[in-house]
Amino acid sequence: MRPDPIYHATDWFRPYPEAEDTFAEDVEKHSRFLLPCAAVDLAELSPQLTGTIHFIQPVEPFDNVFGDGGDDFFNYYCRHNWIAYQYLENGRCSLGCDFRFFELARLESQHPESFGDAARLDAILKHYEDVHSGFRESRDYFFHHGCLYSRPEAAPTPDLRKLELLMALGGPSEEHSCNWAALSQTVPLNEDPGNSLPLTPDGREFIFVGELVSFHYVWSRHYALGCNLLLFYDPMTRTALTTFDWS
């Protein structure tokens, strides 16, 4: 457990990992819908764990709740405000559901003659462009300066506030935010209100990995993705599970 915020890369924490080092297959497709924000060595959580896990921020939602409208592609882990990834032994992962879980993929999969909401598609495409642009901007800034600051338009100075890259690693899952656990249709949770943890289908608790602020990594011009990302992991099945706190 590391309760203090992290502001720089370390030997166990790597901001902005390459997509090729994050996704196990269809890297280009994964990268369109998903942004790899940071990689963490699991051994830092426990010496009994090995490998790498990633904080991954979806480009959606454009509006409403994450996953809204994708009910036909929901599963136990991927549903409203939750998304899962399946890890391989090489430390790379794949999306834990059909890509049509995302609204953009659903819209683009429709036949042109049956598609009647061109304005909606255009708006979502602009959202994707904005989010990807904001992600590239913060990524370039980080690799140039070694950390992120509260005024990205300016070069770092002593009076600028550094932005946390990681709020905390391990510890109680609700130390910083808790609205995510109160949402309806959530993945089943344990009964500890101070350390809510999602449960596997057979009732085992996930491990809480940590939490970061999404908009520190995505400098959106329209304040998209103003949420905290919480990451959990089940080492037995190598399943990573992410939810979002919008408080």
Side-chain angles (χ1 to χ4, degrees):
M1 173 182 175
R2 290 180 177 265
D4 298 325
I6 304 298
Y7 296 93
H8 303 272
T10 70
D11 57 351
W12 56 268
F13 175 73
R14 297 175 296 283
Y16 301 101
E18 295 294 334
E20 292 78 7
D21 297 328
T22 303
F23 302 117
E25 58 186 6
D26 296 329
V27 174
E28 183 175 353
K29 188 171 186 178
H30 276 80
S31 299
R32 189 186 187 200
F33 296 93
L34 303 162
L35 307 173
C37 293
V40 173
D41 292 341
L42 285 166
E44 194 66 20
L45 279 170
S46 169
Q48 299 177 339
L49 298 176
T50 59
T52 302
I53 194 168
H54 301 84
F55 287 84
I56 299 172
Q57 174 63 51
V59 177
E60 296 185 21
F62 167 60
D63 53 19
N64 299 322
V65 177
F66 176 69
D68 195 45
D71 305 52
D72 288 346
F73 306 100
F74 283 6
N75 57 38
Y76 182 86
Y77 291 129
C78 297
R79 56 173 83 186
H80 286 112
N81 214 52
W82 292 86
I83 190 169
Y85 309 95
Q86 184 63 52
Y87 276 80
L88 304 180
E89 292 183 3
N90 62 10
R92 296 178 176 87
C93 66
S94 297
L95 179 65
C97 60
D98 191 294
F99 277 95
R100 286 172 292 178
F101 179 79
F102 299 107
E103 183 176 8
L104 177 59
R106 293 196 303 276
L107 289 175
E108 292 183 331
S109 68
Q110 298 182 30
H111 295 296
E113 61 271 17
S114 66
F115 181 63
D117 194 356
R120 178 71 178 179
L121 177 60
D122 182 64
I124 293 176
L125 286 171
K126 289 180 179 178
H127 167 81
Y128 269 68
E129 292 172 3
D130 175 57
V131 170
H132 275 282
S133 176
F135 183 71
R136 288 193 300 270
E137 185 180 359
S138 68
R139 187 179 189 273
D140 291 346
Y141 189 99
F142 172 80
F143 283 119
H144 184 72
H145 297 292
C147 51
L148 300 178
Y149 287 86
S150 56
R151 288 181 58 200
E153 73 279 3
T157 61
D159 62 324
L160 288 182
R161 180 176 66 87
K162 288 184 179 179
L163 299 179
E164 302 96 332
L165 296 171
L166 185 64
M167 293 178 65
L169 185 79
S173 65
E174 295 187 58
E175 181 175 343
H176 302 285
S177 54
C178 59
N179 285 348
W180 61 273
L183 291 176
S184 62
Q185 298 181 321
T186 184
V187 172
L189 304 174
N190 63 2
E191 298 181 357
D192 185 346
N195 186 30
S196 294
L197 297 170
L199 302 174
T200 63
D202 59 356
R204 290 178 294 103
E205 292 182 347
F206 274 70
I207 297 169
F208 177 59
V209 176
E211 181 176 5
L212 58 74
V213 181
S214 295
F215 65 81
H216 287 181
Y217 286 83
V218 182
W219 292 348
S220 166
R221 292 168 179 80
H222 303 292
Y223 304 100
L225 309 181
C227 62
N228 287 5
L229 186 157
L230 292 89
L231 178 61
F232 303 86
Y233 182 63
D234 174 40
M236 184 177 295
T237 61
R238 294 196 184 97
T239 301
L241 187 57
T242 294
T243 192
F244 312 91
D245 187 275
W246 299 89
S247 56

